[in-house]
Amino acid sequence: MEIEVVRIGQRLVRDDRVTTHVALVSRAFGAKKIFMTEINPEIKDTLRKINETWGGNFSVEFIEKWKPIIKKKKEENFKIIHLSMYGEKINDAQEKIRKEKKLLVVVGAEKVPREIYEMADYNIGIGSQPHSEISALAILLDRIQEGQQFEKEFPDAKRKIIPTKVGKNVQVKETRD
Ligand SMILES: C[S@@+](CC[C@H](N)C(=O)[O-])C[C@H]1O[C@@H](n2cnc3c(N)ncnc32)[C@H](O)[C@@H]1O
């Protein structure tokens, strides 16, 4: 399954850390790319360094407006999943979503524009209580991939963790430069 994420409506400065965490969760839970608006440019650098150390080629793209990217992705046959506490229950929708090939997951920051609810193929609630875009995204990505995202390798990593019951075991790749 090909997964991309778009974060809309960040509140300037206040949401920097949350937005970085949305990007980190997207990467660690198997998405290929995140689109975001009005964001601190340092986030690209943060994610580039993470890729260099821990592998993979997750990318961050800044966009001016959210609507054109949703329209474009629909033309590319992505299904749009909007995460909202008002949406359909994840428990009821997850089996259908697992059959999709390409997904664009939309998460909000503050109140999201009404139009998103109509443009989305799925409006999905991770429970019907307000919590956080970080947790909602992580749970959605885990439910639809059923944990398989954690079996994937991140290619060209300088460091690779060998999971252990006690302590830390990290394989460090030698580089000649
Ligand atoms: C802080 S919340 C904003 C909630 C805001 N009151 C609204 O009506 O959009 C930020 C984002 O987290 C996500 N979110 C929060 N709780 C959620 C839930 N229970 N299910 C799905 N997504 C949720 C949504 O994507 C939401 O746009």
Side-chain angles (χ1 to χ4, degrees), residues 6-8 11 14-15 18 22 81-88 90 105-113 117 123-137 140:
V6 59
R7 178 143 198 269
I8 60 173
R11 291 161 289 195
R14 188 174 145 189
D15 278 348
V18 176
V22 169
I81 301 197
H82 169 225
L83 281 169
S84 160
M85 65 179 182
Y86 304 100
E88 182 184 2
I90 181 64
V105 182
V106 182
V107 294
E110 48 197 339
K111 198 169 172 11
V112 298
Y117 290 86
N123 290 291
I124 298 294
I126 308 295
S128 303
Q129 297 294 325
H131 47 93
S132 137
E133 50 272 52
I134 304 169
S135 61
L137 180 64
L140 174 82

Side-chain angles (χ1 to χ4, degrees), residues 51-56 153-162 169-177:
N51 285 344
E52 260 174 40
T53 308
W54 299 105
E153 289 282 320
F154 282 72
D156 302 321
K158 280 189 188 153
R159 287 169 175 262
K160 186 181 167 194
I161 291 171
I162 313 301
N169 186 357
V170 183
Q171 248 177 22
V172 181
K173 198 173 144 196
E174 298 292 331
T175 49
R176 276 189 248 153
D177 43 26

Side-chain angles (χ1 to χ4, degrees), residues 67-126:
K67 213 187 289 178
I69 196 73
I70 292 182
K71 284 189 178 157
K72 179 169 172 266
K73 291 292 160 181
K74 273 179 166 285
E75 282 163 21
E76 292 172 8
N77 296 321
F78 278 73
K79 294 292 176 190
I80 312 300
I81 301 197
H82 169 225
L83 281 169
S84 160
M85 65 179 182
Y86 304 100
E88 182 184 2
K89 281 179 165 176
I90 181 64
N91 289 354
D92 296 340
Q94 60 193 15
E95 260 181 57
K96 189 159 181 233
I97 298 173
R98 282 178 195 143
K99 295 191 182 111
E100 303 291 1
K101 300 266 183 293
K102 298 201 241 180
L103 297 178
L104 180 71
V105 182
V106 182
V107 294
E110 48 197 339
K111 198 169 172 11
V112 298
R114 174 109 223 123
E115 270 175 290
I116 300 257
Y117 290 86
E118 271 93 56
M119 289 179 90
D121 298 288
Y122 301 90
N123 290 291
I124 298 294
I126 308 295

